[in-house]
Amino acid sequence: MENTKKIAIPGILLILLWTYTGFDKIIHWETSRKAFHNQTFPAELAEVLAYAVPITELLIALLLLFSVSRWWGYLSSILLLTVFTTYVGLIWVGAFPRVPCNCAGILESLGWAEHFMLNLLMLAMGIYGLHQNQMKKPKEFTSGFQGVKF
């Protein structure tokens, strides 16, 4: 596989993930909002997250779309996926007194174990993409010697 394709695949997959989940929450606003209120955190936080999560997901997709901001997109993806994966993992192992619904469009049909594995896969994509993004940038370090680059 061509090197540019290897670099592009994680970004494309994450753009698809964030675009789908962000727009799904907006299109099915009432269902999404109710799902946030059915989670195990306080109602005030649920209301903030009902707005913040889809906006954040779409912003991350935009960051990943442009090469100048892609590094931030990968970093944001890793951060958000770590939070989501941790939360799903805690639900899966029974850390909460009740199990909230798993409401996310097509992903709704996944159980908690499958959702956890998908999140881990996407988290790995984010880490790989960040690494590949770093590798393609030329590293320059100038020393005290004029014109000598390390």
PDB file of all heavy atoms in Angstrom, residues 96-111:
ATOM      1  N   PHE A  96     -21.144   1.290  37.445  1.00  0.00           N
ATOM      2  CA  PHE A  96     -22.231   2.208  37.778  1.00  0.00           C
ATOM      3  C   PHE A  96     -23.428   1.439  38.320  1.00  0.00           C
ATOM      4  O   PHE A  96     -23.631   0.273  37.971  1.00  0.00           O
ATOM      5  CB  PHE A  96     -22.632   3.028  36.545  1.00  0.00           C
ATOM      6  CG  PHE A  96     -21.519   3.895  36.022  1.00  0.00           C
ATOM      7  CD1 PHE A  96     -20.911   3.614  34.815  1.00  0.00           C
ATOM      8  CD2 PHE A  96     -21.067   4.999  36.745  1.00  0.00           C
ATOM      9  CE1 PHE A  96     -19.884   4.400  34.325  1.00  0.00           C
ATOM     10  CE2 PHE A  96     -20.040   5.793  36.271  1.00  0.00           C
ATOM     11  CZ  PHE A  96     -19.447   5.496  35.061  1.00  0.00           C
ATOM     12  N   PRO A  97     -24.257   2.088  39.151  1.00  0.00           N
ATOM     13  CA  PRO A  97     -25.396   1.388  39.749  1.00  0.00           C
ATOM     14  C   PRO A  97     -26.445   0.930  38.734  1.00  0.00           C
ATOM     15  O   PRO A  97     -27.179  -0.003  38.975  1.00  0.00           O
ATOM     16  CB  PRO A  97     -25.991   2.418  40.712  1.00  0.00           C
ATOM     17  CG  PRO A  97     -25.423   3.734  40.326  1.00  0.00           C
ATOM     18  CD  PRO A  97     -24.141   3.472  39.610  1.00  0.00           C
ATOM     19  N   ARG A  98     -26.493   1.588  37.593  1.00  0.00           N
ATOM     20  CA  ARG A  98     -27.423   1.170  36.538  1.00  0.00           C
ATOM     21  C   ARG A  98     -26.750   1.311  35.190  1.00  0.00           C
ATOM     22  O   ARG A  98     -25.791   2.061  35.034  1.00  0.00           O
ATOM     23  CB  ARG A  98     -28.713   1.984  36.575  1.00  0.00           C
ATOM     24  CG  ARG A  98     -28.537   3.430  36.232  1.00  0.00           C
ATOM     25  CD  ARG A  98     -29.874   4.192  36.262  1.00  0.00           C
ATOM     26  NE  ARG A  98     -29.670   5.573  35.900  1.00  0.00           N
ATOM     27  CZ  ARG A  98     -29.530   6.024  34.654  1.00  0.00           C
ATOM     28  NH1 ARG A  98     -29.582   5.188  33.645  1.00  0.00           N
ATOM     29  NH2 ARG A  98     -29.336   7.296  34.417  1.00  0.00           N
ATOM     30  N   VAL A  99     -27.242   0.593  34.208  1.00  0.00           N
ATOM     31  CA  VAL A  99     -26.670   0.624  32.870  1.00  0.00           C
ATOM     32  C   VAL A  99     -27.531   1.542  32.011  1.00  0.00           C
ATOM     33  O   VAL A  99     -28.716   1.273  31.798  1.00  0.00           O
ATOM     34  CB  VAL A  99     -26.620  -0.797  32.246  1.00  0.00           C
ATOM     35  CG1 VAL A  99     -26.119  -0.734  30.820  1.00  0.00           C
ATOM     36  CG2 VAL A  99     -25.764  -1.712  33.101  1.00  0.00           C
ATOM     37  N   PRO A 100     -26.946   2.646  31.523  1.00  0.00           N
ATOM     38  CA  PRO A 100     -27.706   3.548  30.659  1.00  0.00           C
ATOM     39  C   PRO A 100     -27.877   2.941  29.273  1.00  0.00           C
ATOM     40  O   PRO A 100     -27.202   1.977  28.922  1.00  0.00           O
ATOM     41  CB  PRO A 100     -26.823   4.800  30.600  1.00  0.00           C
ATOM     42  CG  PRO A 100     -25.457   4.305  30.858  1.00  0.00           C
ATOM     43  CD  PRO A 100     -25.592   3.108  31.762  1.00  0.00           C
ATOM     44  N   CYS A 101     -28.781   3.538  28.483  1.00  0.00           N
ATOM     45  CA  CYS A 101     -28.962   3.028  27.118  1.00  0.00           C
ATOM     46  C   CYS A 101     -27.748   3.371  26.284  1.00  0.00           C
ATOM     47  O   CYS A 101     -27.032   4.324  26.555  1.00  0.00           O
ATOM     48  CB  CYS A 101     -30.231   3.613  26.492  1.00  0.00           C
ATOM     49  SG  CYS A 101     -30.085   5.351  26.033  1.00  0.00           S
ATOM     50  N   ASN A 102     -27.527   2.579  25.276  1.00  0.00           N
ATOM     51  CA  ASN A 102     -26.425   2.782  24.355  1.00  0.00           C
ATOM     52  C   ASN A 102     -27.028   3.367  23.085  1.00  0.00           C
ATOM     53  O   ASN A 102     -27.386   2.645  22.183  1.00  0.00           O
ATOM     54  CB  ASN A 102     -25.744   1.439  24.092  1.00  0.00           C
ATOM     55  CG  ASN A 102     -24.506   1.587  23.246  1.00  0.00           C
ATOM     56  OD1 ASN A 102     -24.034   2.683  23.011  1.00  0.00           O
ATOM     57  ND2 ASN A 102     -23.984   0.475  22.786  1.00  0.00           N
ATOM     58  N   CYS A 103     -27.174   4.680  23.032  1.00  0.00           N
ATOM     59  CA  CYS A 103     -27.901   5.326  21.942  1.00  0.00           C
ATOM     60  C   CYS A 103     -26.973   6.087  21.023  1.00  0.00           C
ATOM     61  O   CYS A 103     -26.481   7.142  21.386  1.00  0.00           O
ATOM     62  CB  CYS A 103     -28.942   6.289  22.501  1.00  0.00           C
ATOM     63  SG  CYS A 103     -29.979   5.551  23.768  1.00  0.00           S
ATOM     64  N   ALA A 104     -26.718   5.555  19.832  1.00  0.00           N
ATOM     65  CA  ALA A 104     -25.863   6.253  18.875  1.00  0.00           C
ATOM     66  C   ALA A 104     -26.105   5.764  17.457  1.00  0.00           C
ATOM     67  O   ALA A 104     -25.242   5.182  16.836  1.00  0.00           O
ATOM     68  CB  ALA A 104     -24.398   6.076  19.249  1.00  0.00           C
ATOM     69  N   GLY A 105     -27.304   5.977  16.941  1.00  0.00           N
ATOM     70  CA  GLY A 105     -27.594   5.630  15.551  1.00  0.00           C
ATOM     71  C   GLY A 105     -27.331   4.176  15.247  1.00  0.00           C
ATOM     72  O   GLY A 105     -27.814   3.282  15.937  1.00  0.00           O
ATOM     73  N   ILE A 106     -26.550   3.904  14.201  1.00  0.00           N
ATOM     74  CA  ILE A 106     -26.217   2.537  13.794  1.00  0.00           C
ATOM     75  C   ILE A 106     -25.472   1.823  14.914  1.00  0.00           C
ATOM     76  O   ILE A 106     -25.649   0.633  15.130  1.00  0.00           O
ATOM     77  CB  ILE A 106     -25.353   2.537  12.510  1.00  0.00           C
ATOM     78  CG1 ILE A 106     -26.148   3.100  11.341  1.00  0.00           C
ATOM     79  CG2 ILE A 106     -24.864   1.148  12.181  1.00  0.00           C
ATOM     80  CD1 ILE A 106     -25.332   3.346  10.089  1.00  0.00           C
ATOM     81  N   LEU A 107     -24.661   2.578  15.653  1.00  0.00           N
ATOM     82  CA  LEU A 107     -23.875   1.991  16.737  1.00  0.00           C
ATOM     83  C   LEU A 107     -24.755   1.521  17.894  1.00  0.00           C
ATOM     84  O   LEU A 107     -24.298   0.810  18.775  1.00  0.00           O
ATOM     85  CB  LEU A 107     -22.832   3.001  17.246  1.00  0.00           C
ATOM     86  CG  LEU A 107     -21.873   3.545  16.192  1.00  0.00           C
ATOM     87  CD1 LEU A 107     -20.949   4.573  16.800  1.00  0.00           C
ATOM     88  CD2 LEU A 107     -21.093   2.438  15.531  1.00  0.00           C
ATOM     89  N   GLU A 108     -26.023   1.910  17.881  1.00  0.00           N
ATOM     90  CA  GLU A 108     -26.970   1.516  18.927  1.00  0.00           C
ATOM     91  C   GLU A 108     -27.109  -0.003  19.007  1.00  0.00           C
ATOM     92  O   GLU A 108     -27.345  -0.551  20.080  1.00  0.00           O
ATOM     93  CB  GLU A 108     -28.333   2.149  18.621  1.00  0.00           C
ATOM     94  CG  GLU A 108     -29.387   1.906  19.652  1.00  0.00           C
ATOM     95  CD  GLU A 108     -30.682   2.620  19.296  1.00  0.00           C
ATOM     96  OE1 GLU A 108     -30.715   3.401  18.336  1.00  0.00           O
ATOM     97  OE2 GLU A 108     -31.670   2.380  20.011  1.00  0.00           O
ATOM     98  N   SER A 109     -26.942  -0.676  17.886  1.00  0.00           N
ATOM     99  CA  SER A 109     -27.103  -2.129  17.868  1.00  0.00           C
ATOM    100  C   SER A 109     -25.920  -2.858  18.514  1.00  0.00           C
ATOM    101  O   SER A 109     -26.003  -4.047  18.781  1.00  0.00           O
ATOM    102  CB  SER A 109     -27.290  -2.621  16.432  1.00  0.00           C
ATOM    103  OG  SER A 109     -26.148  -2.303  15.666  1.00  0.00           O
ATOM    104  N   LEU A 110     -24.820  -2.148  18.773  1.00  0.00           N
ATOM    105  CA  LEU A 110     -23.662  -2.767  19.411  1.00  0.00           C
ATOM    106  C   LEU A 110     -23.889  -2.919  20.907  1.00  0.00           C
ATOM    107  O   LEU A 110     -24.470  -2.047  21.543  1.00  0.00           O
ATOM    108  CB  LEU A 110     -22.407  -1.908  19.206  1.00  0.00           C
ATOM    109  CG  LEU A 110     -21.920  -1.691  17.777  1.00  0.00           C
ATOM    110  CD1 LEU A 110     -20.705  -0.771  17.787  1.00  0.00           C
ATOM    111  CD2 LEU A 110     -21.586  -3.002  17.104  1.00  0.00           C
ATOM    112  N   GLY A 111     -23.392  -4.011  21.465  1.00  0.00           N
ATOM    113  CA  GLY A 111     -23.383  -4.158  22.917  1.00  0.00           C
ATOM    114  C   GLY A 111     -22.222  -3.360  23.485  1.00  0.00           C
ATOM    115  O   GLY A 111     -21.416  -2.782  22.745  1.00  0.00           O
TER     116      GLY A 111
END
